[in-house]
Amino acid sequence: MDYIDKHFLESLSYRFPTIGKASTEIINLSAILQLPKETEHFLTDIHGEYEQFAHILKNGSGAIRSKIEEVFGFELSNEDKKELATLIYYPDEKIELVEATGTNMHDWYRTMLLRLIRMTRRASMKYTRSKVRKSIDPEFAYIIEELITQNNTLAKENYYEGILESIIRTGRAKECIHAFAITIQRLVVNHLHIVGDIYDRGPGPDKVIETLIHHHSVDIQWGNHDVVWIGAACGNLACMATVMRLSARYGNLDILEDSYGINLIPLMKFAMDIYKDDPCTCFKIKYDPETYDMSNLPLDMKMHKAVAILQFKLEGQLIKRHPEFHMDDRLLLDKIDYENKKITLYGETYDMEDVYLPTVDPKDPYKLTPEEEALIKHIQGGFRNCERLQRHVRFLLSKGSLYLVYNNTLLFHGSIPLNEDGSFRSVELEGKSYKGRELMDVMDNYVRKGYYLPPGDEKCYATDLIYFLWTNEASPLFGKERMTTFERYFIKDKRAHEEPKTPYYRLYNDETIVNQILEEFNLPTDVAHIVNGHVPVKQKKGESPIKCGGKLLIIDGGFSRAYQSTTGIAGYTLISNSYGFKLVYHEPFTSTEEAIRTGSDIHSEILVVEEVTRRQTVNDTDTGRVLRQQIRELEALLAAYRTGKIRERE
C-alpha cells in the first residue's frame, strides 16, 4: 500500500471507523446494486406550455395510470381508477371538489387512504427504505412508512386501523393524502431530463422553471431558446432584442413585464411614436385566441416591428464585430432597394412587402438612432437587474449543460456539427479549432463565462458566442444553414423562407455516423442511445421519432401549441425504466380545471422502442459504477483493518 492509498483509506476510516461498520456498508451497497434501475422521464421543447408540462410531470407520461392498473386490475372500475389518478395528480383540488358534493368525507378519506397506501407500497418496491423515507414529507414520514410496511397479521390490524382513524379524526386526512400523492409521483418517476427549449412561444416558461427548481431530481440540456435567454440575462444586446421580439411575436410580452418586471413602457412609447401611422401588417402576432386581449393587437404589432428592427441592427453589429463567425450573408439591411421595394439575396431578387423603416439610415443601416440607444440601454438594465430572471438563469447553469451522458444515453438538444461526409465539423474560436465532444465542452464553458465573468472584453466575446449558439450554422443548438427571420417578415415568396438543415439531420439514419458520435462520447455502440429534440417530428405526415433503428430518438413532437398544427400531436416524451425504452405521444391538453373536474387525462399512446432481455438493475447504471468503486474502496479499508495496516477507530 503506497502513501497516497494509505492516506485516502485513513480519511475513509473516519466515516467507517470499524470492521463492522465498513462491512455493513459493503453489504448495503451490494444489495442496492441488485435493485431495479430507476425510472427516467425525458421531456423536450416545452416552450412555455406550463399547464401541459405540469400535467405530464404529475402523471409521469402515463406511468402512474399504468401503476394503478398493476395494483388494482379489475378490482376497481374505470371511474374509480380515474378518480384515484386525479387525486394523485391534484390532491388538494380534488378533495375540495369532493367536499363540495356533500360526500361522506370520513368514508371517502378512509377508502382513498387505503388505496394510496397500496399504490405507495407498490411504487416503493424498487427502492431502499432509506430512499423511500427521504421521498416522504418529513411531517408524515413516520406515519406513511408504518402504513406502507405493514404486515397483515391480526395482531397489528387494530394498530393500523388506529392510525387511519386518528388521521381522519384529527383533521389531517387532507394533508396526509397530499403527502401520499407527492410521494407516489416522486417514486414512480425518479429522475427527470429536460432536453432543451423551456423558453419562448408559450405563456409560462417562468412557471416551468419554478417547478423545476423544486423538483427532486432533474437535469437540463440547454436548447437554443434557453441560451438566448441566458445571453439576455448576461446583458448581450442582440440576445435581449431577440428575446423581446419572440415575446412580441407570440403575444407574450407579459412574460417580460409581469413575470420578470422588465419595464416595457419606453418600448411602447417608442413604437407608438415611430410607427403611429404604420399598420405594421408584416408583423402579425401569433396569439392564442382563448387568452389574448385583442385590444392590444395594434400596439403589439407596432412594438413587434420596433423590436424586430432593433434586433436586425444589433445582430448586424455583432456579425461585423466577428468576421470569424462567417455570418456576413445575414447582413440584410444594407441589401434593401428602397426605391423599387426589392432585395437581392443569394443571387435572387425578391419583392419586399414593407420598406417603411424610418429608423434605418440606408448609408449606415446598422447604426442605432439616439432614441434606440437610450431604449436598449434602459432595457439592458431591466434584464441585468431582474433578480427573478437572474435566479432562473443561475438554475439553468447549475442544473444544465450543452450535453449530458447518463446511463448509456447521450442527451443534447440539437445536433453534433458534421461535415457532408459525416466527419466532425471544426469550428475556430479565438484562433483554435474544436470539433466533436471537445467543441461541445468548450461551447459549454463559454456560456458559463458569459454569465460569470466580470465586465470586459472576455465577457463580451463569450456573450457574443452565446448569440452564435442561437443562430450560427456551426452551432450544435441551431442545426440549420441560416435563420430566415428577416425574410419571413418582409418577403412573401416562400422560397426565401427556406432554412436548409445541416448534415446531421441528413445523416442520422446512418448507423456508422451514429456509432461515430457515440464513440466520441465514450459510449458503447451496442447498447447506447442518443436522445434529442429541437426539430418537430411531423407525425401526421408519417414521420417517425425513431431514427437509426432505435439508436437515436427525436422527441420533439409539438409540445408548443404553435407547432401542433404542423406535427399533428402535442409532443413526445420518453420513459426509460428497468424494462427498456417507451416512447409516449400525447394528444393536446385541454386545461387543468377540466382535468380536475372531469378526471380527464391527456390521451397518450405508448410505443415500445426497446425491451431488454434481462431486467436492468442499479448495477447497470452510472450510479452502479459509482457504488462498485465505493465497494472496492471499502474492501480495501476492510483488508487494511484486518492486516493491521490501519487501526480501527472505535
Side-chain angles (χ1 to χ4, degrees):
M1 181 188 301
D2 59 35
Y3 174 77
I4 295 176
D5 286 338
K6 185 175 181 180
H7 179 75
F8 172 77
L9 293 177
E10 284 179 340
S11 297
L12 191 61
S13 72
Y14 282 95
R15 291 183 57 207
F16 305 99
T18 66
I19 289 174
K21 290 187 177 179
S23 58
T24 297
E25 184 66 5
I26 291 171
I27 294 166
N28 177 48
L29 296 180
S30 300
I32 291 172
L33 289 174
Q34 306 312 312
L35 290 171
K37 171 189 172 294
E38 67 179 356
T39 297
E40 302 167 53
H41 194 189
F42 303 73
L43 284 77
T44 186
D45 295 271
I46 297 162
H47 285 302
E49 296 293 349
Y50 172 71
E51 283 202 349
Q52 177 158 323
F53 159 78
H55 188 79
I56 287 176
L57 204 61
K58 290 174 184 293
N59 77 4
S61 286
I64 286 178
R65 192 61 191 263
S66 296
K67 195 68 68 178
I68 291 172
E69 291 293 338
E70 287 178 24
V71 174
F72 294 102
F74 294 107
E75 183 181 335
L76 295 181
S77 68
N78 286 333
E79 283 303 310
D80 285 341
K81 292 173 186 175
K82 186 189 295 186
E83 181 180 37
L84 180 57
T86 305
L87 183 65
I88 294 170
Y89 307 156
Y90 306 101
D92 301 336
E93 296 86 347
K94 179 63 178 177
I95 290 171
E96 288 180 12
L97 197 65
V98 173
E99 286 175 337
T101 64
T103 298
N104 182 323
M105 293 307 295
H106 180 282
D107 292 349
W108 187 86
Y109 280 142
R110 187 179 185 282
T111 299
M112 291 304 160
L113 283 167
L114 287 170
R115 290 173 182 173
L116 290 169
I117 289 167
R118 292 174 63 183
M119 280 290 294
T120 309
R121 190 181 299 138
R122 177 62 68 90
S124 66
M125 288 174 64
K126 64 162 66 175
Y127 303 109
T128 64
R129 290 183 67 172
S130 174
K131 170 82 172 178
V132 173
R133 192 178 303 118
K134 291 173 184 176
S135 301
I136 304 172
D137 182 341
E139 191 173 356
F140 291 95
Y142 171 76
I143 293 171
I144 291 178
E145 191 172 7
E146 282 289 291
L147 290 171
I148 66 174
T149 56
Q150 72 180 69
N151 57 55
N152 295 319
T153 62
L154 291 174
K156 272 200 166 184
E157 186 175 338
N158 290 338
Y159 171 72
Y160 297 121
E161 282 292 333
I163 293 176
L164 286 177
E165 286 299 320
S166 296
I167 291 169
I168 299 168
R169 178 170 51 81
T170 58
R172 298 288 283 165
K174 184 174 182 178
E175 292 81 0
C176 189
I177 285 174
H178 179 96
F180 266 115
I182 300 304
T183 301
I184 291 167
Q185 290 180 30
R186 292 183 66 165
L187 293 176
V188 170
V189 174
N190 187 58
H191 187 75
L192 177 65
H193 304 283
I194 303 295
V195 196
D197 278 0
I198 294 168
Y199 278 97
D200 293 328
R201 299 196 180 96
D206 58 309
K207 295 178 183 177
V208 174
I209 294 281
E210 285 291 337
T211 300
L212 294 176
I213 286 173
H214 294 98
H215 196 274
H216 60 280
S217 184
V218 63
D219 59 63
I220 300 165
Q221 292 72 60
W222 305 319
N224 53 325
H225 287 267
D226 304 319
V227 295
V228 80
W229 275 80
I230 293 173
C234 295
N236 183 276
L237 300 182
C239 289
M240 285 191 308
T242 302
V243 163
M244 290 191 295
R245 180 187 63 79
L246 285 164
S247 297
R249 181 172 178 78
Y250 289 92
N252 287 326
L253 286 169
D254 287 350
I255 293 170
L256 296 172
E257 282 200 297
D258 298 340
S259 300
Y260 288 123
I262 297 170
N263 182 8
L264 296 183
I265 291 176
L267 173 61
M268 178 186 70
K269 291 179 177 178
F270 174 82
M272 290 176 67
D273 181 46
I274 298 297
Y275 300 107
K276 58 184 176 182
D277 298 321
D278 182 0
C280 300
T281 52
C282 291
F283 292 83
K284 295 180 173 63
I285 307 298
K286 293 188 175 184
Y287 56 81
D288 183 342
E290 295 181 9
T291 58
Y292 184 74
D293 184 351
M294 293 298 294
S295 65
N296 293 331
L297 188 59
L299 176 57
D300 281 355
M301 291 172 70
K302 296 181 193 304
M303 293 171 73
H304 186 189
K305 183 172 183 177
V307 77
I309 301 305
L310 196 57
Q311 177 191 320
F312 298 142
K313 286 187 174 186
L314 291 168
E315 67 182 4
Q317 293 177 11
L318 187 151
I319 291 167
K320 284 176 171 288
R321 282 197 300 273
H322 297 287
E324 75 276 15
F325 287 1
H326 305 292
M327 294 179 68
D328 285 1
D329 62 321
R330 303 313 300 154
L331 295 171
L332 304 180
L333 291 179
D334 56 0
K335 308 295 190 300
I336 300 171
D337 179 350
Y338 288 89
E339 184 177 349
N340 296 306
K341 294 184 67 174
K342 293 182 182 298
I343 188 169
T344 300
L345 305 173
Y346 306 103
E348 290 280 343
T349 300
Y350 299 96
D351 293 328
M352 287 190 64
E353 297 290 295
D354 180 6
V355 292
Y356 182 69
L357 306 176
T359 65
V360 178
D361 178 357
K363 296 178 182 178
D364 192 1
Y366 302 103
K367 182 180 180 181
L368 300 186
T369 66
E371 294 79 11
E372 287 173 324
E373 288 274 10
L375 173 64
I376 198 65
K377 288 298 181 186
H378 164 82
I379 292 172
Q380 185 183 49
F383 274 88
R384 280 178 168 169
N385 297 321
C386 175
E387 190 281 329
R388 190 166 188 254
L389 175 61
Q390 297 299 327
R391 179 166 60 86
H392 286 180
V393 167
R394 287 194 297 272
F395 172 75
L396 287 176
L397 292 168
S398 68
K399 291 291 185 179
S401 54
L402 207 55
Y403 73 92
L404 180 69
V405 175
Y406 193 101
N407 289 346
N408 284 332
T409 303
L410 173 61
L411 299 97
F412 52 82
H413 177 70
S415 65
I416 302 295
L418 301 175
N419 297 311
E420 288 293 345
D421 64 0
S423 59
F424 293 116
R425 177 173 179 166
S426 290
V427 178
E428 186 175 314
L429 302 172
E430 297 190 290
K432 185 176 178 181
S433 292
Y434 304 91
K435 61 183 178 179
R437 184 173 189 169
E438 189 180 24
L439 174 64
M440 302 288 274
D441 287 333
V442 76
M443 288 286 197
D444 184 291
N445 185 244
Y446 272 115
V447 173
R448 299 178 197 281
K449 283 182 178 180
Y451 187 81
Y452 288 112
L453 283 177
D457 291 345
E458 196 175 357
K459 184 183 183 77
C460 287
Y461 179 82
T463 61
D464 283 354
L465 198 62
I466 291 175
Y467 194 81
F468 174 102
L469 283 169
W470 159 251
T471 189
N472 192 281
E473 67 170 316
S475 163
L477 296 181
F478 182 46
K480 298 177 183 178
E481 292 180 10
R482 68 183 72 97
M483 186 181 290
T484 57
T485 303
F486 179 95
E487 293 89 330
R488 290 168 186 267
Y489 283 126
F490 290 108
I491 300 172
K492 192 173 183 179
D493 190 334
K494 291 191 175 181
R495 291 178 302 159
H497 302 176
E498 293 179 5
E499 297 178 339
K501 293 184 177 69
T502 51
Y504 174 84
Y505 294 99
R506 295 191 287 276
L507 298 171
Y508 57 31
N509 273 310
D510 186 329
E511 189 170 3
T512 302
I513 302 299
V514 171
N515 286 345
Q516 171 191 261
I517 293 171
L518 291 171
E519 288 169 353
E520 176 73 2
F521 290 85
N522 299 319
L523 285 166
T525 59
D526 56 334
V527 295
H529 298 81
I530 296 173
V531 175
N532 59 268
H534 187 52
V535 176
V537 176
K538 299 172 185 175
Q539 192 200 52
K540 72 177 186 180
K541 291 187 177 181
E543 288 187 21
S544 170
I546 304 171
K547 311 295 182 183
C548 196
K551 282 194 170 186
L552 189 152
L553 303 166
I554 296 181
I555 57 171
D556 179 8
F559 218 107
S560 169
R561 291 178 187 269
Y563 281 143
Q564 288 172 10
S565 61
T566 302
T567 62
I569 57 172
Y572 290 102
T573 56
L574 186 67
I575 292 288
S576 170
N577 58 26
S578 57
Y579 295 104
F581 279 95
K582 293 180 181 179
L583 191 69
V584 186
Y585 67 88
H586 308 278
E587 297 297 326
F589 183 55
T590 51
S591 70
T592 302
E593 290 76 12
E594 184 173 343
I596 296 165
R597 181 175 54 82
T598 67
S600 64
D601 208 340
I602 295 178
H603 178 70
S604 305
E605 297 289 340
I606 297 176
L607 302 173
V608 177
V609 178
E610 180 179 277
E611 282 188 305
V612 295
T613 55
R614 175 186 61 82
R615 190 178 188 188
Q616 291 184 307
T617 64
V618 172
N619 192 47
D620 300 307
T621 68
D622 293 345
T623 299
R625 185 172 64 250
V626 172
L627 295 182
R628 290 195 301 273
Q629 177 60 28
Q630 291 176 358
I631 290 170
R632 286 192 290 270
E633 292 165 356
L634 285 164
E635 286 174 339
L637 177 63
L638 203 58
Y641 281 149
R642 286 174 171 158
T643 58
K645 291 179 179 178
I646 292 179
R647 290 179 297 175
E648 294 182 83
R649 295 187 177 275
E650 291 183 9

